[in-house]
Amino acid sequence: MAGKVLAAVRVAPGKTEIREFPMPEIREDSALMKMEIAGICGTDVKLYQTPPSNDAPVIMGHENIGYIAKAGREFTRRKGFKEGDLVFVEHYVMCGQCEWCHLGQYRHCKYTDWRFNPDAIRYGYTSAEKPPHLWGGFAQYIYLPWNSVLHHVPKGVTPELAGLVTPMANGVEWSLFDGGVGFNSTVLIQGPGQQGLSQVVICKQAGASLIIVTGTTKDGARMQVAKTLGADHLIDVQKEDSLARIMEVTDGQGIDVVLDCTAGAGTLPVLLGVDALKRKGGIMVIQGEMAEFPNFPLGKITVKYITIKSARGHSYKACELALQQLASHRFPLEKVTTHTFGLRDVDLAIRSVGGKGVPDVIHASLMPWK
Ligand SMILES: [Zn+2]
Ligand SMILES: [Zn+2]
């Protein structure tokens, strides 16, 4: 395949340029994917404004859905994916050798961990200077080495719906696997963004008996979507005494599981979560990206026997379950996939997800061919 590939490249913090890259040579053990949908999430907002690594140019886009356009013979033989297949590619590029990889926990593999490994490969994070350059979904094609991690998109799931697989997989991982949400659980979900809304869907499906979603006054539209997806109570933390409401609707018992999906709202959601949890043995899953936490309530956490877990992406199994969830068509998820943008609108798309562009965006999909 000759020709050029167009990509939106982050060339500096908050700055994107359209650039051309050579079509990569596809050897026996690799493949090329034609991009359909790159989901944009809060991580993109953060990575766009404060890139983790120096000033290397990066093709962002880490939630990638597309068709296999070309696959080497060995790639198909070893991995079971052939030309024409619609696939979801995890952003973690694995080593395939470590214990985490054998467990399907590619997120923890050192090979993909850019925080500790300067040579790590991860879609949406890796420098576009590294051949064959196509390491991000804001492009017409991405390159798939033998150690990329792929999932088949089930029949009946469109590329756009499949674009929700990442937040939905986080929903499975954080609420079910980490939080242990199940039949009759009471759950507090903080933040009604695409992550929080996905938690609502998964908790509802798992049999939670009470789902409370908190948000701020500007979240009005998202809160209504939360209600449509199955939230029992909505709390505006700026207008109401959140803790009093939670205690009222739980008859003073408190909550089994708290899921903090506020991403960067500081220490307040954690403090509310600690107080809202039941008397003993509650679980809190937090993102915890705040640099400092003055007066961390260690005493309360000890006395209430609280377990704190860390929300860190998703496992292979969570992705598979998320795809099954999408295939069930059980929830009106078209209310979540609100906006699509073209390649030249990457900057606007990211700003919109961050609340500073097109209003009322919940989930934005980048369509590189649009
Ligand atoms: Zn993401
Ligand atoms: Zn590994």
Side-chain angles (χ1 to χ4, degrees):
M1 272 169 117
K4 300 279 183 193
V5 178
L6 285 182
V9 184
R10 184 190 67 218
V11 292
K15 190 164 188 290
T16 294
E17 270 177 30
I18 301 291
R19 288 189 182 170
E20 274 188 352
F21 293 90
M23 187 68 83
E25 184 196 339
I26 300 304
R27 287 196 289 266
E28 285 289 277
D29 66 350
S30 60
L32 186 73
M33 183 172 93
K34 183 172 187 242
M35 282 296 304
E36 288 291 319
I37 295 285
I40 302 175
C41 77
T43 298
D44 292 299
V45 178
K46 201 161 44 189
L47 292 177
Y48 191 46
Q49 291 307 333
T50 48
S53 59
N54 47 63
D55 33 353
V58 167
I59 305 172
M60 292 175 60
H62 61 277
E63 304 185 359
N64 299 322
I65 308 288
Y67 290 98
I68 304 277
K70 188 168 176 17
R73 201 173 44 185
E74 274 304 295
F75 186 93
T76 295
R77 191 181 69 81
R78 285 190 210 167
K79 298 177 75 72
F81 293 88
K82 60 183 190 316
E83 289 172 13
D85 286 354
L86 180 61
V87 299
F88 160 57
V89 186
E90 293 192 31
H91 56 309
Y92 316 117
V93 179
M94 62 164 182
C95 78
Q97 297 174 8
C98 74
E99 185 180 2
W100 292 119
C101 283
H102 282 96
L103 289 168
Q105 303 282 1
Y106 307 110
R107 55 190 173 143
H108 299 317
C109 173
K110 193 174 167 189
Y111 193 81
T112 193
D113 192 345
W114 53 272
R115 286 185 179 86
F116 296 97
N117 175 8
D119 299 321
I121 301 182
R122 181 177 288 208
Y123 290 106
Y125 292 70
T126 294
S127 167
E129 278 165 359
K130 185 182 180 73
H133 315 295
L134 303 179
W135 299 114
F138 298 166
Q140 293 172 324
Y141 291 93
I142 66 173
Y143 174 74
L144 303 175
W146 69 271
N147 50 343
S148 52
V149 178
L150 275 59
H151 300 260
H152 286 286
V153 173
K155 275 202 182 65
V157 177
T158 61
E160 196 174 356
L161 182 59
L164 285 178
V165 63
T166 301
M168 212 55 79
N170 292 341
V172 172
E173 193 73 46
W174 305 352
S175 66
L176 302 192
F177 297 170
D178 292 330
V181 170
F183 182 72
N184 217 32
S185 296
T186 58
V187 189
L188 171 64
I189 297 166
Q190 305 187 77
Q194 52 179 286
Q195 305 296 341
L197 294 173
S198 299
Q199 311 287 331
V200 172
V201 167
I202 300 297
C203 290
K204 192 77 178 173
Q205 167 102 4
S209 58
L210 181 75
I211 298 175
I212 305 172
V213 176
T214 59
T216 58
T217 304
K218 68 167 174 43
D219 290 326
R222 293 174 172 196
M223 294 293 259
Q224 286 318 308
V225 175
K227 183 110 200 168
T228 307
L229 294 175
D232 299 291
H233 297 279
L234 307 173
I235 300 176
D236 180 336
V237 296
Q238 290 173 312
K239 286 189 178 151
E240 298 172 77
D241 181 339
S242 310
L243 185 60
R245 265 295 295 291
I246 292 164
M247 287 305 161
E248 183 195 322
V249 299
T250 59
D251 286 330
Q253 298 300 304
I255 291 290
D256 295 331
V257 180
V258 171
L259 302 162
D260 171 18
C261 300
T262 56
T267 59
L268 281 177
V270 176
L271 293 173
L272 173 62
V274 168
D275 285 335
L277 279 171
K278 59 188 178 185
R279 191 178 63 84
K280 294 279 180 185
I283 296 178
M284 238 176 128
V285 183
I286 60 173
Q287 301 199 17
E289 309 236 345
M290 65 287 284
E292 288 182 16
F293 203 128
N295 303 318
F296 184 74
L298 188 59
K300 279 185 189 172
I301 287 163
T302 306
V303 168
K304 293 181 79 172
Y305 191 49
I306 290 171
T307 301
I308 295 182
K309 296 196 178 182
S310 168
R312 294 281 85 202
H314 44 258
S315 58
Y316 183 88
K317 184 166 188 192
C319 296
E320 286 292 310
L321 290 176
L323 287 162
Q324 294 305 319
Q325 171 65 55
L326 296 175
S328 77
H329 297 286
R330 223 172 160 188
F331 293 83
L333 294 174
E334 66 282 357
K335 301 221 180 300
V336 180
T337 51
T338 51
H339 291 75
T340 60
F341 294 87
L343 197 59
R344 287 173 200 283
D345 286 326
V346 160
D347 180 83
L348 175 65
I350 297 175
R351 282 190 289 112
S352 300
V353 171
K356 293 188 180 120
V358 179
D360 291 334
V361 169
I362 298 178
H363 184 268
S365 294
L366 192 90
M367 303 178 78
W369 299 87
K370 195 173 134 175

